[in-house]
mmCIF file of all heavy atoms in Angstrom:
data_model
loop_
_atom_site.group_PDB
_atom_site.id
_atom_site.type_symbol
_atom_site.label_atom_id
_atom_site.label_comp_id
_atom_site.label_asym_id
_atom_site.label_seq_id
_atom_site.Cartn_x
_atom_site.Cartn_y
_atom_site.Cartn_z
ATOM 1 N N GLU A 113 -94.658 -110.406 -37.082
ATOM 2 C CA GLU A 113 -95.953 -110.389 -37.794
ATOM 3 C C GLU A 113 -96.128 -109.054 -38.506
ATOM 4 O O GLU A 113 -96.258 -108.020 -37.857
ATOM 5 C CB GLU A 113 -97.102 -110.586 -36.795
ATOM 6 C CG GLU A 113 -97.401 -112.041 -36.462
ATOM 7 C CD GLU A 113 -98.227 -112.756 -37.548
ATOM 8 O OE1 GLU A 113 -99.037 -112.099 -38.221
ATOM 9 O OE2 GLU A 113 -98.036 -113.977 -37.701
ATOM 10 N N THR A 114 -96.107 -109.074 -39.807
ATOM 11 C CA THR A 114 -96.280 -107.826 -40.565
ATOM 12 C C THR A 114 -97.241 -108.090 -41.721
ATOM 13 O O THR A 114 -97.367 -109.223 -42.177
ATOM 14 C CB THR A 114 -94.929 -107.354 -41.150
ATOM 15 O OG1 THR A 114 -94.305 -108.464 -41.795
ATOM 16 C CG2 THR A 114 -94.003 -106.819 -40.063
ATOM 17 N N ALA A 115 -97.899 -107.034 -42.190
ATOM 18 C CA ALA A 115 -98.848 -107.205 -43.302
ATOM 19 C C ALA A 115 -98.118 -107.713 -44.538
ATOM 20 O O ALA A 115 -98.627 -108.549 -45.274
ATOM 21 C CB ALA A 115 -99.538 -105.883 -43.599
ATOM 22 N N ARG A 116 -96.879 -107.183 -44.752
ATOM 23 C CA ARG A 116 -96.084 -107.663 -45.896
ATOM 24 C C ARG A 116 -94.951 -108.558 -45.386
ATOM 25 O O ARG A 116 -94.155 -108.134 -44.557
ATOM 26 C CB ARG A 116 -95.505 -106.483 -46.670
ATOM 27 C CG ARG A 116 -94.822 -106.931 -47.968
ATOM 28 C CD ARG A 116 -94.478 -105.762 -48.861
ATOM 29 N NE ARG A 116 -93.506 -104.873 -48.252
ATOM 30 C CZ ARG A 116 -93.468 -103.557 -48.435
ATOM 31 N NH1 ARG A 116 -94.350 -102.970 -49.208
ATOM 32 N NH2 ARG A 116 -92.549 -102.824 -47.839
ATOM 33 N N THR A 117 -94.927 -109.778 -45.877
ATOM 34 C CA THR A 117 -93.941 -110.759 -45.410
ATOM 35 C C THR A 117 -93.219 -111.374 -46.604
ATOM 36 O O THR A 117 -93.857 -111.783 -47.580
ATOM 37 C CB THR A 117 -94.652 -111.883 -44.617
ATOM 38 O OG1 THR A 117 -95.356 -111.290 -43.528
ATOM 39 C CG2 THR A 117 -93.663 -112.898 -44.081
ATOM 40 N N TRP A 118 -91.905 -111.437 -46.512
ATOM 41 C CA TRP A 118 -91.092 -112.043 -47.571
ATOM 42 C C TRP A 118 -90.884 -113.510 -47.235
ATOM 43 O O TRP A 118 -90.615 -113.857 -46.077
ATOM 44 C CB TRP A 118 -89.749 -111.322 -47.676
ATOM 45 C CG TRP A 118 -89.889 -109.874 -48.035
ATOM 46 C CD1 TRP A 118 -90.338 -108.877 -47.210
ATOM 47 C CD2 TRP A 118 -89.621 -109.270 -49.290
ATOM 48 N NE1 TRP A 118 -90.351 -107.680 -47.897
ATOM 49 C CE2 TRP A 118 -89.904 -107.887 -49.181
ATOM 50 C CE3 TRP A 118 -89.149 -109.745 -50.526
ATOM 51 C CZ2 TRP A 118 -89.753 -107.000 -50.242
ATOM 52 C CZ3 TRP A 118 -88.980 -108.851 -51.576
ATOM 53 C CH2 TRP A 118 -89.292 -107.501 -51.434
ATOM 54 N N VAL A 119 -91.004 -114.362 -48.220
ATOM 55 C CA VAL A 119 -90.897 -115.811 -48.011
ATOM 56 C C VAL A 119 -89.733 -116.318 -48.857
ATOM 57 O O VAL A 119 -89.792 -116.256 -50.088
ATOM 58 C CB VAL A 119 -92.211 -116.496 -48.427
ATOM 59 C CG1 VAL A 119 -92.121 -117.993 -48.187
ATOM 60 C CG2 VAL A 119 -93.395 -115.909 -47.660
ATOM 61 N N ILE A 120 -88.700 -116.794 -48.179
ATOM 62 C CA ILE A 120 -87.456 -117.122 -48.896
ATOM 63 C C ILE A 120 -87.189 -118.621 -48.926
ATOM 64 O O ILE A 120 -87.179 -119.275 -47.888
ATOM 65 C CB ILE A 120 -86.233 -116.448 -48.220
ATOM 66 C CG1 ILE A 120 -86.450 -114.944 -48.057
ATOM 67 C CG2 ILE A 120 -84.963 -116.733 -49.006
ATOM 68 C CD1 ILE A 120 -85.372 -114.275 -47.207
ATOM 69 N N ASP A 121 -86.959 -119.154 -50.112
ATOM 70 C CA ASP A 121 -86.344 -120.473 -50.228
ATOM 71 C C ASP A 121 -84.974 -120.241 -50.862
ATOM 72 O O ASP A 121 -84.872 -119.994 -52.067
ATOM 73 C CB ASP A 121 -87.189 -121.430 -51.083
ATOM 74 C CG ASP A 121 -86.714 -122.865 -50.903
ATOM 75 O OD1 ASP A 121 -85.562 -123.053 -50.479
ATOM 76 O OD2 ASP A 121 -87.493 -123.794 -51.183
ATOM 77 N N PRO A 122 -83.914 -120.293 -50.049
ATOM 78 C CA PRO A 122 -82.589 -119.905 -50.570
ATOM 79 C C PRO A 122 -82.086 -120.840 -51.667
ATOM 80 O O PRO A 122 -81.401 -120.400 -52.584
ATOM 81 C CB PRO A 122 -81.677 -119.964 -49.344
ATOM 82 C CG PRO A 122 -82.398 -120.807 -48.335
ATOM 83 C CD PRO A 122 -83.875 -120.648 -48.618
ATOM 84 N N ILE A 123 -82.412 -122.138 -51.560
ATOM 85 C CA ILE A 123 -82.189 -123.085 -52.669
ATOM 86 C C ILE A 123 -83.385 -124.018 -52.693
ATOM 87 O O ILE A 123 -83.556 -124.843 -51.800
ATOM 88 C CB ILE A 123 -80.918 -123.942 -52.481
ATOM 89 C CG1 ILE A 123 -79.669 -123.065 -52.483
ATOM 90 C CG2 ILE A 123 -80.820 -124.988 -53.609
ATOM 91 C CD1 ILE A 123 -78.378 -123.858 -52.429
ATOM 92 N N ASP A 124 -84.224 -123.858 -53.698
ATOM 93 C CA ASP A 124 -85.351 -124.774 -53.853
ATOM 94 C C ASP A 124 -84.950 -125.803 -54.905
ATOM 95 O O ASP A 124 -84.481 -125.436 -55.985
ATOM 96 C CB ASP A 124 -86.598 -124.006 -54.295
ATOM 97 C CG ASP A 124 -87.761 -124.953 -54.556
ATOM 98 O OD1 ASP A 124 -87.990 -125.850 -53.734
ATOM 99 O OD2 ASP A 124 -88.425 -124.796 -55.591
ATOM 100 N N GLY A 125 -85.146 -127.089 -54.565
ATOM 101 C CA GLY A 125 -84.708 -128.144 -55.482
ATOM 102 C C GLY A 125 -83.300 -128.580 -55.125
ATOM 103 O O GLY A 125 -82.432 -128.719 -55.992
ATOM 104 N N THR A 126 -83.079 -128.800 -53.831
ATOM 105 C CA THR A 126 -81.742 -129.167 -53.346
ATOM 106 C C THR A 126 -81.164 -130.364 -54.097
ATOM 107 O O THR A 126 -79.983 -130.381 -54.429
ATOM 108 C CB THR A 126 -81.854 -129.521 -51.842
ATOM 109 O OG1 THR A 126 -82.403 -128.387 -51.191
ATOM 110 C CG2 THR A 126 -80.508 -129.846 -51.261
ATOM 111 N N LYS A 127 -82.028 -131.363 -54.365
ATOM 112 C CA LYS A 127 -81.515 -132.563 -55.038
ATOM 113 C C LYS A 127 -81.088 -132.236 -56.469
ATOM 114 O O LYS A 127 -80.135 -132.804 -56.978
ATOM 115 C CB LYS A 127 -82.548 -133.687 -54.982
ATOM 116 C CG LYS A 127 -82.625 -134.261 -53.567
ATOM 117 C CD LYS A 127 -83.850 -135.108 -53.332
ATOM 118 C CE LYS A 127 -83.936 -135.498 -51.857
ATOM 119 N NZ LYS A 127 -85.296 -135.817 -51.425
ATOM 120 N N GLY A 128 -81.791 -131.302 -57.099
ATOM 121 C CA GLY A 128 -81.391 -130.842 -58.426
ATOM 122 C C GLY A 128 -80.069 -130.084 -58.364
ATOM 123 O O GLY A 128 -79.193 -130.255 -59.221
ATOM 124 N N PHE A 129 -79.915 -129.271 -57.336
ATOM 125 C CA PHE A 129 -78.670 -128.512 -57.127
ATOM 126 C C PHE A 129 -77.493 -129.473 -56.996
ATOM 127 O O PHE A 129 -76.448 -129.300 -57.631
ATOM 128 C CB PHE A 129 -78.820 -127.655 -55.865
ATOM 129 C CG PHE A 129 -77.571 -126.948 -55.418
ATOM 130 C CD1 PHE A 129 -77.074 -125.858 -56.116
ATOM 131 C CD2 PHE A 129 -76.897 -127.367 -54.276
ATOM 132 C CE1 PHE A 129 -75.921 -125.197 -55.688
ATOM 133 C CE2 PHE A 129 -75.750 -126.722 -53.845
ATOM 134 C CZ PHE A 129 -75.263 -125.636 -54.558
ATOM 135 N N LEU A 130 -77.675 -130.523 -56.204
ATOM 136 C CA LEU A 130 -76.599 -131.496 -55.971
ATOM 137 C C LEU A 130 -76.274 -132.310 -57.215
ATOM 138 O O LEU A 130 -75.129 -132.689 -57.432
ATOM 139 C CB LEU A 130 -76.995 -132.460 -54.840
ATOM 140 C CG LEU A 130 -77.011 -131.862 -53.446
ATOM 141 C CD1 LEU A 130 -77.589 -132.852 -52.448
ATOM 142 C CD2 LEU A 130 -75.600 -131.450 -53.042
ATOM 143 N N ALA A 131 -77.302 -132.571 -58.019
ATOM 144 C CA ALA A 131 -77.109 -133.408 -59.211
ATOM 145 C C ALA A 131 -76.809 -132.562 -60.449
ATOM 146 O O ALA A 131 -76.784 -133.090 -61.565
ATOM 147 C CB ALA A 131 -78.360 -134.251 -59.444
ATOM 148 N N LEU A 132 -76.595 -131.262 -60.248
ATOM 149 C CA LEU A 132 -76.326 -130.322 -61.344
ATOM 150 C C LEU A 132 -77.477 -130.279 -62.349
ATOM 151 O O LEU A 132 -77.273 -130.133 -63.540
ATOM 152 C CB LEU A 132 -74.988 -130.633 -62.043
ATOM 153 C CG LEU A 132 -73.760 -130.686 -61.128
ATOM 154 C CD1 LEU A 132 -72.517 -131.068 -61.918
ATOM 155 C CD2 LEU A 132 -73.530 -129.356 -60.418
#
Side-chain angles (χ1 to χ4, degrees):
E113 276 281 329
T114 48
R116 187 169 64 213
T117 302
W118 298 73
V119 181
I120 307 171
D121 194 339
I123 296 185
D124 176 45
T126 303
K127 287 165 187 156
F129 173 73
L130 289 173
L132 305 177

